[in-house]
Every structure is written in structure tokens, then in C-alpha cells.
Amino acid sequence: MIALLVIFIPIVFGIILPFLRLNKNFKNVYSILVTIITSCVVCYVVVNDIAIDVTCIRLNEILTIGFKIDGLSKLFLMMIAVLWPLATLYATEYMEHEENQDSFFRYYLIAYGITVGIATSRNIISLYLFYELLTFLTLPLIIHKGDKSSNFAGKIYLILSILGAAIALIGIIIFTSVVPSIEFINIGQVNELINKVIIDGHTNIFNRLYISYILMFLGFGVKAAIVPFSIWLPLCSVAPTPVSALLHAVAVVKSGVFAIIRVTYSLFGIAFLSGSIVQKIAISLTIVTILYGSLMAVRDKHIKRRLAYSTVSNLSYILFATMLMTTDGLFAGLTHMVFHAIIKINLFFAAGSIMIYSKKEYVDEVSGLAKKMPMTMLNFLISALALIGVPLTCGFISKYALITSAINNKSYFAYVGIGAIVISSILTLIYLFEIVVPAYFTNHNYNVDAIKDVKEAGIRIKVTMLIITVLIIYFGINSNYITNFIESVVIGL
Amino acid sequence: MNDYMLLLPIVFPAIAALLTLVIKKKFQDRGFRTIYVGIVLALTLIFNFYAILNFKGLTLFYLTKNLPIAFKVDGLTYLFNSLVTIMWFLAGVFSFEYMKHEENNESFYMFYMLTESVLIALGMAANFMTMYLFYEFMTFLSLPLALHTRTKEAINGGLKYLFYSVFGASLALIGFFFMSQYGSIEFIPGGTLNTMKVLGHENLLKGVFFLTILGFSVKAGMFPFHAWLTAAHPVAPAPASAVLSGIITKAGVLAIIRVIYYQVGVDFLRGTWVQYAFMTLTLITVFMGSMMAYKEKVLKKRLAYSSVSQVSYVLFGLSTMTTIGFVGALLQVVFHSIAKNLLFMGAGAIIYREHKTMVAELKGIGKNMPIVMWCFTIGGLALVGIPPLTGFVSKWYLAEGSLMSGVPVLTYVGPIILLASALLTAGYLVTISIDAFIPGADFDYSTVKNTEPNLYMLIPLVLLAVLCFVCGTFATPFISFFTNIAQTIL
């Protein structure tokens, strides 16, 4: 039952938040406390290896809602359990500059519970349920400002998400018409079936499974922002920065990735998929997305949109590696999932701090900012280096894992992917250093007045960024804990 | 064998550099700064020799499985680290005077010391991982030196430098990843490729290693990636241009040596299209660099183009994959470093005292600053390769290496291009000296006044000029030392 507890603590406390009519300081403390308590429970579950295996609701014999924790859940849980309280701490300072904090923190807390639900779902229907809930309950965060552009972004987000969910649902229905069980198991449900089918000679159901897989891939791919559906993510950068940082760089988008990994590794099984036509389609899409995201990031001059496009590209790094369907590939994908999360969240934190305290939103306005906001820019610089994949930052570890897994795959697609990742990392340098270099090295005749009354961010924002920057460097130097853990997760799948 | 003392010359200048942030107020005082930086550079020089002569190797820690950060001292380390620390010291002494007319000296010296620390580490790197790490750091930390003056050209040049370098490093990184899967990333003379694993993937690997060589050659300014060099080197302050051109281009050379001779192994590449393509590119660069330098009107740009050409001599020597060619390449590394540092410092002295940047303005300048111009002339003649100055020996070996390489056509084209380039070098450097000392009949002698710079500038210049003589006349120790290195890897 502890799983339900973890899910319901933030949801219940989130829902009642506006009714409590707390004043500003109490509200901040309240939100932070709720996330910390939830995170503590999550850590307790993960560290003590508490087995959770419950089924709560039975719709019929196949369709059930229930929870179960395995290695992959633990990894995802730990990732959000560390980042959510930090992001909330950041949000308490950031949201002082925005209105309507009650509603913001309410949905911010609720989203935590739902993401935990996604991580601990035991079958595809439970996952689908929480996935849909996440769509609806993060919508208020996107349209928080209530102006025209955020309403538009919210609309596009909603349309694409629902479209994706519908596509995925069709995939699930086709799947259940072939396979009698929808539970996530280690080597995949389909594996059980294959041998029987081959003996019986009914190989035509393979095609049905392939269609089912590609529908689920595309459907869940909406949240992972793969190419035909990636437009919502940059549009949603109009949301307040804590939302962009946590939900649109970590929780929501990685739920999409997580769902795809679940479908691939726990529902279908890589033995069935690898080498098939659907794998090729999936890999091609991810390669296209890698390049598309980076190129658009170079083109876009709005800092937060640029970072959002960068997320589009990086999510596809993860998907590319997992779609290689080897243990190395999954290892690389999961490593990048974790490391990209901390790097990108920090970049968004810095961008948000720039936005709030200097009112600059565009790349060409940041000249000389490093003098005024040394801490913010230092964090931005280190995170930028990490995203490029410079050694001694955690980005290098995941880049190494990504490319070596592709090399060992030895397929034509993998080599194309290596090329795409290398090109993309060069583009990463271009789109991030276009911000870093002017901030540190100003031209002689730049406009000093433009940054005259810029202040450095407050203590809470600085502390959050500093903690994550230390993590980035620490994992770059000593990644053994994380990589060993991920390895055990990969072996378990 | 963990000799932690190897870290001393790496950590010392880095800490000294970061310390300047703490004692910011005091460091703004010029006198204090000069003493501080001078002592740090001198001590680094001593520590470096102490460390590399007495200690062997060190494995610091593992980034992740199979990715150790480790240091090892071998023949190439002796060569590279001695060059770095000596040149850094001399250019540093020169800069004490030169930097008087630049702003922001504090940040210049901080990055100057940091870059030295990274270069020392680069020379000691015991595996590809460590080398790549410090290679990237070198780019980022030397960037502030390149765009120090903060003019529009400087910032554009700096950005070009950054983007080209990271592009090159990314190409090279592919090679690193492949090496880690098809062999071992440790530097072992003769290469580490695992022949069993390689079987069936030869063509792929050849392509990958060609990209790796191309990637590292960006720093060495090889065609088609030379454009950044002539944009970034001339705009930097003279001491920075001197070390950028004289030393940091050699970091690219060092990396290529490590890749070809310590990672892949010559046997895998010799006689393949990779060797031919690499050799062709180096020859194109040698000739093209000289041509461009000949046409160039701005003195420092001319010197930068000359670097493009001269560093590709080194790469050409490496591409022959013969003992003689390799020895010639290493000789050229040393001699070009000395001569190019000398020339850039000479140009710096001219800019500092006379504010002249164009070649055409230098008529009769030998009357004003004879010592500087004599040193400049010696540097120029050394680059051309006039015996007994340095350049002669290296070029002799390079030509001979080319003839022994057995590569079709190029083996004969090589020496011809070397010779043609030497003539062009004479054309673009010696003419400056001639005009400087023999300005012609219409020269107005009433403008002659003594503008010789002070000792901070003269001592490094004269020392380097003397080195040009000494190393050229007594090249035998160098040759035998480099032959020893060559024999372990070929």
C-alpha cells in the first residue's frame, strides 16, 4: 500500500493547498515539505528494496490497475525524487515574480504524484491511465500565465497529447487482441507467445503486433517529442520556468520515454522486435529528431525555446540508444535519461534566473551578463559543457555510453546514428556558446545600459543551481554508483 | 606505480592561476603581477623537469569502467613538456612589457597559467581519454587568450577558433570511441588494435581513423580546416599569438602522433588510402600556406599563414610513416616552435614600439630597432632552412623520409613541394629583413630614432635567436633522441 501512499500524498496535499489559504511563506514551506516527505518515502522504498506488488482495481480479467516496482521504476523514481524538491525550492523564489501561486503549486504537487504513478505502474493500462492524467493535470501549468501565446501552446499540447494517447490506445487494443496479458514482465509478453505461434504457423499475427508496436511508439512518442509531434515542446516554453525545467525537461517528456521503454522491453520484448521493420522505422525517426531538434535550436533566438528544442534532440538520443535494443543500448539510454535530466533542468534554471532578474529572453541580449550574474552564468556554463559532452562532466559519461553502444551494434543504422549524435553535439556547442561567449566576453562597444540594473538571483535559486552543478561534476568524475545501479536495472529487464 | 609528484607541475600553475581570483586587489598592481607570474612560470618550468625526469606514471582515477585518467612519462612527453614550459616562460617574460598596452591583464595571465597547466597534463597523458580531456580543456582555456583584445575581429576570430576546434575534437572523439571498442585506449608504442576484433571491419576503421586524424589536424591548421588559424592567431596579443602558433598547434601534432603511432599502429595504415590522402592534404597545405603567406600584407597574418605551412611540414613527416620522416617531423616541431615564437615576438615588439602592422610599413625599421630585426632575420632564415640554422636539418630529414616512404608519385612530389615552399618562405620572410635593413635610396634617414624595446622583450628574443643557432649547429643529440623514440614505435 505504500505505493498508493506515495502517489496520494502529493495529490491530496496538492488538491487541498488552495483551501488552506496559507500566506506566501507558509505556502512555500508547505510545498517544499510535501515534496520532501514524498521523496523521503520514495527513497525509503527504493533504498530498502521494498517489494510492491498490488492490484487495486479489476476492470475485467485483463484490464487491471495496479502497481509494482522493478529496477526501471526505481531508477525513474530516484530521478524525480531528487529533482522534484529542488525544483520546488527553485519555484518558491521564481514564482514570487508571477501571479496565482496557489494554483501553480497545487498542480505542481499533483503532477509529482502522477509521475510516481507512471513509474510504478504494473501494466500498460495503469500506465495509460496515469499518462492521460498527467496530460490533463499539467495543462493548467502550461496556461498559467493565461495570455494568448500560452493558451495557444496549451491547446496544441492538449490536441497532440490526446491524439497520441488515442493512437497508443488503439495500439493497446490491437495488442490485447493478440496477447492475452498486458502485464509488464521481464523479457516481454510477446516472447512467451512467439514459440507457440511459430509452431502453429500463424505468423500473420506478427504483422498485427508490429502495427500495434508502431502505434504505441508513435502515441507515447508524442510526449517524448519525436519528429512529427515535437512542436508542442518548444511552444510550451511559455510556461513558468519551473514547469519548463522540471516537467518539460524531466518528468513529462521522460514519462514518454519511460513508456516507450516499458512497451519495448517489458511488453513486447527485444527478442521479438530487434531486427524487425518497426525497429528500423523507430530508429530512423529518432535520428531525424536528433538532427531536427539541434538544427531548430540553432535557428531559434529565444533562450528557453532553444533549450526546449535541445530537449527534443536529447530525448531522441535516449530513444535512439534504447531502440538499438541491446543491453548496452538500454544502459546508454537510461544513463543519458538521468544525466540529461540534471543537465537540462540546470540549464532551464539558469535561463529562468536570467529571464526573471534581467528580463532578457533572447540570445542576442545577454552581452556582459556574466559580470552581473556570475553565479547564474557559471552554472549555465558548466551545464552547457556537460550537454556538449566535455569530459569531467556527466554528459561525457552518457555520450561515451551512447556511442560505444552504437558502435557495438555494428548495424548501418547505428553508424548513421553516431554521425547524427556527433553533428548534434557540435550544434549543441553552437547554440549554447552563442549565449555563453557574449555573456563572458563582451565586445568593446556593447550597450552597458542594457544590463545596468540587473541583479544576481536570490539565495534559493542559487542554492538549487549549485547543488545540481555539483552533481553534474561529481557524476562526471565518479559515476560508479549510478552506472552500477543502471547496469543492475538493465540486467533485470 | 603511482607517482603523485607528477601532478605537481599540473596542479601548481592551475592553483596559482585560481589564486589570482582570491588576491584580486593585489594582482591588479603591475609590479606584483610581474613578480608573481614570473615566479610561477619559472617554478613550473623547474617542477616540470623535476617531475618528468624523476617519475614514471600515475593512474589518478576512473571516470567509469575502462576510462582511467592516467599520466605517463615517455620520450614524447620530454619533448612536448620541455617545449611548452620553456616557451611559456620566455613568452611570459616577453609579455610583461608587451601587455602594458593591453587591458584586462589579470584575466590574461590567469588563462595563460591555466593553459600551461593543461598543456603539461596533455603531454603526460597516458591514454586517449586523458588526452581528449585535456585537449578539450586546452581549447576552452586558450579561447580567452585568443579573443583577449575584445575587438570585433578578435571575438569573431575566437569564435571561429572555438567552433573549428570543437568540430575537430568531435571528429577525433569518434576515433576514441572506436578505439575503446576495437582495442585499448592506452598509449602503447606500436598501437593497440585488437586484430581479432578488427577482422571484417577494416574499411570502416580506416574511415574512422582518417576522420580522427582530420579531427586533430584542425588544431594543426591543416587544409581544409586552416581558416580559423589565420583568423584567431593574428588578433591575439603577441605573446599569446606566439604560444598559440608555436605550441598549441603542436598539441594537434602530438595528438596525431599518439593516434597514428600509439593507438592505431603504423602497420594498419601504411600503404592504404588513409596514408595517401593524409599525405596529399599535408602537401597541399604546405604549398598553399606558403602561397597565402607570400600574398599577405599584414605581418602577423603572414606569420599565421606561415604557421599553417610549417606545421604541415611536421604532419607531412608523420604521414611518411618512416623512421627518418618521423625524426624530421619531431625536429621540425622543435625548430618551428623556436623560430615561430621568435618571429611572433619580433612582430609583437614592432607593434608595441612602432605601432606598425603592415609589411609595407617596415621599410628601414632595422635602423630603429636593430637587435629586434636581427633576431627576426635569424628566425626567418631558420624557417627557410639555411644551414647552420635550425630549419635545415629538419627539412633534410623530411625530404629523405619522403623519398623512403615508397608512396607512389607523392614520394617525389614531396621534396619538390618542400623546396618550392622553402623558396616562398624566403620570399615572404627574408624580403622583410632586406627592406628593414636596406630601405633603398629614397628612405628618409631623418626619421631614424632608437626604438629598441627594453630587456623584458630583448632577452627572450635574443635567447631564442641563440637557440636557433645552437640547435641547428648541434642537432645530433636531438636526432639521436628522436631516433630512439622512432625505433620504439616503428
Side-chain angles (χ1 to χ4, degrees):
Chain A
M1 293 318 282
I2 198 162
L4 292 178
L5 190 66
V6 185
I7 295 170
F8 282 108
I9 292 173
I11 293 182
V12 170
F13 283 93
I15 289 173
I16 62 170
L17 170 64
F19 303 125
L20 298 175
R21 300 187 183 286
L22 299 167
N23 76 13
K24 204 182 74 192
N25 289 336
F26 279 118
K27 195 155 50 203
N28 292 343
V29 173
Y30 175 89
S31 311
I32 293 172
L33 269 184
V34 171
T35 52
I36 287 181
I37 290 169
T38 316
S39 292
C40 285
V41 180
V42 168
C43 289
Y44 173 74
V45 170
V46 171
V47 172
N48 290 328
D49 231 343
I50 293 174
I52 290 176
D53 196 349
V54 287
T55 305
C56 306
I57 307 170
R58 277 184 192 282
L59 304 176
N60 62 23
E61 308 86 274
I62 300 177
L63 305 180
T64 57
I65 308 287
F67 307 98
K68 192 170 150 186
I69 287 196
D70 65 353
L72 194 58
S73 318
K74 282 185 197 160
L75 184 69
F76 199 71
L77 283 175
M78 279 313 285
M79 185 174 86
I80 57 174
V82 171
L83 294 179
W84 219 289
L86 285 173
T88 312
L89 176 66
Y90 177 89
T92 54
E93 181 174 334
Y94 185 92
M95 292 310 288
E96 281 170 10
H97 305 267
E98 303 246 354
E99 284 160 27
N100 214 349
Q101 297 157 8
D102 271 348
S103 128
F104 175 86
F105 281 112
R106 171 191 249 180
Y107 291 105
Y108 211 60
L109 292 178
I110 292 175
Y112 191 2
I114 292 170
T115 316
V116 172
I118 289 180
T120 51
S121 294
R122 66 174 299 153
N123 58 31
I124 188 74
I125 285 295
S126 321
L127 181 69
Y128 177 79
L129 170 75
F130 285 108
Y131 192 81
E132 281 281 43
L133 282 177
L134 190 65
T135 304
F136 292 117
L137 290 167
T138 57
L139 183 65
L141 293 170
I142 293 170
I143 54 175
H144 184 82
K145 266 191 205 132
D147 56 1
K148 210 166 158 193
S149 60
S150 54
N151 280 343
F152 176 69
K155 207 193 292 172
I156 297 287
Y157 168 70
L158 200 58
I159 291 172
L160 279 176
S161 290
I162 290 178
L163 177 73
I167 295 175
L169 189 61
I170 298 172
I172 297 172
I173 293 169
I174 297 177
F175 184 81
T176 50
S177 77
V178 180
V179 184
S181 168
I182 51 163
E183 301 289 305
F184 296 136
I185 58 170
N186 277 349
I187 45 168
Q189 287 285 358
V190 175
N191 265 334
E192 307 268 302
L193 205 71
I194 294 179
N195 296 328
K196 223 166 70 197
V197 168
I198 290 174
I199 295 165
D200 292 354
H202 294 301
T203 45
N204 60 337
I205 69 155
F206 278 17
N207 287 335
R208 249 204 272 175
L209 284 173
Y210 287 148
I211 292 171
S212 153
Y213 178 77
I214 204 72
L215 286 177
M216 284 195 231
F217 179 82
L218 287 175
F220 291 122
V222 169
K223 281 226 166 64
I226 55 170
V227 119
F229 310 116
S230 48
I231 188 64
W232 68 270
L233 189 55
L235 279 179
C236 285
S237 63
V238 294
T241 304
V243 176
S244 314
L246 186 62
L247 297 177
H248 298 147
V250 183
V252 170
V253 290
K254 281 187 181 144
S255 296
V257 172
F258 180 81
I260 289 178
I261 295 177
R262 275 293 195 217
V263 168
T264 311
Y265 286 81
S266 306
L267 204 57
F268 282 81
I270 49 174
F272 172 67
L273 291 172
S274 103
S276 68
I277 176 80
V278 287
Q279 186 196 16
K280 295 196 174 90
I281 296 174
I283 289 191
S284 319
L285 277 178
T286 58
I287 292 175
V288 172
T289 313
I290 288 173
L291 292 175
Y292 166 82
S294 293
L295 284 171
M296 291 301 284
V298 173
R299 269 188 51 185
D300 211 307
K301 295 288 174 203
H302 187 269
I303 297 176
K304 272 178 73 185
R305 264 208 300 280
R306 178 171 278 205
L307 292 179
Y309 273 118
S310 156
T311 308
V312 170
S313 155
N314 273 279
L315 289 170
S316 276
Y317 285 24
I318 305 170
L319 285 179
F320 165 74
T322 50
M323 285 303 123
L324 292 173
M325 301 195 189
T326 55
T327 45
D328 281 12
L330 183 59
F331 172 78
L334 293 178
T335 314
H336 195 62
M337 183 171 91
V338 175
F339 288 162
H340 171 252
I342 59 175
I343 297 169
K344 190 50 69 63
I345 206 172
N346 207 20
L347 282 171
F348 267 114
F349 283 166
S353 159
I354 292 172
M355 229 174 95
I356 286 294
Y357 288 98
S358 74
K359 305 278 181 286
K360 309 275 184 240
E361 295 192 18
Y362 287 89
V363 175
D364 35 19
E365 301 172 336
V366 295
S367 286
L369 223 51
K371 289 216 175 56
K372 297 282 183 175
M373 321 180 74
M375 196 65 187
T376 303
M377 283 318 294
L378 182 69
N379 288 307
F380 193 92
L381 170 67
I382 291 174
S383 313
L385 291 175
L387 199 64
I388 296 162
V390 174
L392 293 193
T393 62
C394 62
F396 182 78
I397 307 288
S398 55
K399 193 169 162 188
Y400 174 75
L402 284 170
I403 295 187
T404 47
S405 73
I407 289 173
N408 286 328
N409 193 268
K410 296 197 171 64
S411 70
Y412 176 69
F413 275 96
Y415 293 134
V416 178
I418 294 174
I421 291 179
V422 169
I423 293 171
S424 169
S425 69
I426 296 168
L427 293 173
T428 309
L429 173 96
I430 294 175
Y431 64 69
L432 289 178
F433 269 63
E434 218 180 300
I435 302 169
V436 172
V437 172
Y440 276 94
F441 304 106
T442 45
N443 209 326
H444 269 313
N445 46 0
Y446 79 106
N447 189 1
V448 187
D449 292 339
I451 57 161
K452 203 170 58 190
D453 3 278
V454 174
K455 287 198 307 282
E456 175 62 297
I459 182 78
R460 278 169 285 172
I461 285 185
K462 277 200 279 193
V463 166
T464 337
M465 289 192 298
L466 199 63
I467 291 174
I468 298 181
T469 304
V470 169
L471 282 182
I472 288 174
I473 294 174
Y474 177 73
F475 289 141
I477 293 171
N478 183 1
S479 61
N480 286 336
Y481 294 118
I482 288 218
T483 48
N484 288 343
F485 180 63
I486 295 177
E487 234 159 50
S488 70
V489 170
V490 170
I491 291 165
L493 277 180
Chain B
M1 47 154 201
N2 267 356
D3 302 319
Y4 283 97
M5 285 306 274
L6 274 183
L7 290 179
L8 182 66
I10 302 171
V11 173
F12 174 71
I15 289 180
L18 294 178
L19 199 64
T20 62
L21 290 176
V22 182
I23 50 165
K24 227 174 197 166
K25 279 263 160 56
K26 212 148 185 216
F27 200 61
Q28 277 167 357
D29 171 52
R30 181 176 307 280
F32 175 77
R33 189 166 60 228
T34 306
I35 295 167
Y36 184 89
V37 176
I39 290 175
V40 170
L41 292 178
L43 279 180
T44 312
L45 178 70
I46 295 165
F47 289 159
N48 171 59
F49 280 106
Y50 168 70
I52 61 176
L53 291 177
N54 289 314
F55 301 104
K56 286 270 168 301
L58 163 69
T59 304
L60 204 54
F61 60 88
Y62 286 78
L63 283 184
T64 174
K65 270 182 220 105
N66 314 322
L67 290 187
I69 298 295
F71 302 100
K72 196 172 73 185
V73 176
D74 65 1
L76 278 178
T77 314
Y78 290 137
L79 165 65
F80 188 75
N81 281 20
S82 323
L83 262 188
V84 168
T85 43
I86 293 173
M87 292 306 163
W88 229 259
F89 180 71
L90 290 178
V93 172
F94 178 85
S95 73
F96 293 142
E97 181 66 23
Y98 184 87
M99 291 307 286
K100 270 184 192 166
H101 83 163
E102 299 273 353
E103 291 162 30
N104 255 335
N105 281 1
E106 304 92 63
S107 97
F108 177 85
Y109 282 114
M110 188 178 89
F111 286 107
Y112 190 74
M113 290 185 278
L114 280 176
T115 311
E116 182 181 23
S117 140
V118 168
L119 282 168
I120 291 171
L122 185 73
M124 290 184 194
N127 57 42
F128 210 148
M129 177 65 238
T130 318
M131 184 176 80
Y132 178 77
L133 164 73
F134 289 108
Y135 199 81
E136 283 274 37
F137 273 43
M138 171 180 73
T139 303
F140 289 115
L141 291 173
S142 59
L143 174 68
L145 298 181
L147 45 70
H148 180 80
T149 53
R150 303 282 204 286
T151 56
K152 203 158 185 182
E153 295 90 61
I155 288 186
N156 287 342
L159 284 178
K160 236 180 184 174
Y161 171 57
L162 180 67
F163 291 148
Y164 269 83
S165 295
V166 172
F167 169 73
S170 297
L171 284 187
L173 192 61
I174 303 180
F176 163 66
F177 289 131
F178 272 86
M179 268 323 292
S180 73
Q181 299 306 308
Y182 284 92
S184 121
I185 54 166
E186 206 189 331
F187 292 142
I188 293 170
T192 63
L193 270 188
N194 183 336
T195 37
M196 291 306 290
K197 281 188 188 162
V198 170
L199 210 65
H201 300 285
E202 285 90 351
N203 283 326
L204 172 75
L205 287 176
K206 273 173 204 157
V208 166
F209 295 137
F210 183 61
L211 285 184
T212 313
I213 294 172
L214 271 190
F216 282 129
S217 75
V218 171
K219 265 267 156 38
M222 190 176 80
F223 174 83
F225 305 115
H226 59 281
W228 69 271
L229 202 150
T230 47
H233 288 181
V235 291
S241 336
V243 291
L244 281 171
S245 234
I247 301 293
I248 289 188
T249 52
K250 305 301 187 301
V253 172
L254 177 78
I256 290 180
I257 297 178
R258 292 292 196 196
V259 169
I260 296 183
Y261 295 91
Y262 288 79
Q263 282 278 276
V264 182
V266 225
D267 297 331
F268 186 74
L269 295 177
R270 191 184 280 137
T272 63
W273 65 267
V274 179
Q275 187 191 8
Y276 302 160
F278 181 35
M279 203 181 234
T280 314
L281 285 177
T282 56
L283 284 177
I284 291 174
T285 321
V286 166
F287 189 69
M288 188 202 64
S290 292
M291 276 309 270
M292 306 280 262
Y294 190 73
K295 276 168 55 187
E296 183 57 55
K297 300 274 182 279
V298 180
L299 178 59
K300 272 176 96 182
K301 270 206 172 144
R302 181 177 280 195
L303 294 178
Y305 275 117
S306 157
S307 280
V308 170
S309 159
Q310 296 287 329
V311 176
S312 273
Y313 276 73
V314 181
L315 298 182
F316 173 71
L318 298 179
S319 74
T320 62
M321 301 189 187
T322 59
T323 313
I324 305 279
F326 184 81
V327 172
L330 291 192
L331 286 170
Q332 174 75 3
V333 166
V334 179
F335 299 162
H336 172 251
S337 263
I338 298 172
K340 195 44 65 70
N341 268 297
L342 174 54
L343 289 174
F344 263 114
M345 287 184 200
I350 294 169
I351 291 171
Y352 180 70
R353 296 292 299 179
E354 298 259 346
H355 306 289
K356 287 175 178 162
T357 54
M358 306 295 285
V359 172
E361 299 169 337
L362 300 182
K363 262 198 164 74
I365 200 163
K367 309 284 176 202
N368 291 356
M369 30 185 14
I371 303 180
V372 171
M373 281 322 288
W374 268 111
C375 293
F376 190 91
T377 311
I378 290 170
L381 291 175
L383 268 198
V384 180
I386 311 280
L389 294 165
T390 49
F392 176 72
V393 197
S394 57
K395 273 157 206 180
W396 178 273
Y397 270 81
L398 286 174
E400 204 162 314
S402 167
L403 290 174
M404 286 173 67
S405 68
V407 178
V409 188
L410 294 176
T411 182
Y412 300 109
V413 175
I416 296 171
I417 289 188
L418 294 189
L419 197 67
S421 168
L423 284 178
L424 285 169
T425 312
Y428 65 75
L429 282 178
V430 180
T431 44
I432 296 176
S433 303
I434 294 175
D435 279 349
F437 287 112
I438 311 164
D442 52 347
F443 181 69
D444 181 8
Y445 279 88
S446 63
T447 59
V448 171
K449 59 176 187 294
N450 183 14
T451 53
E452 206 74 83
N454 69 4
L455 287 179
Y456 278 131
M457 285 189 162
L458 284 183
I459 289 175
L461 280 173
V462 173
L463 266 180
L464 285 171
V466 171
L467 271 181
C468 272
F469 258 117
V470 174
C471 295
T473 326
F474 306 102
T476 338
F478 288 102
I479 294 168
S480 61
F481 178 58
F482 295 153
T483 316
N484 279 341
I485 298 178
Q487 272 157 1
T488 62
I489 55 179
L490 277 161

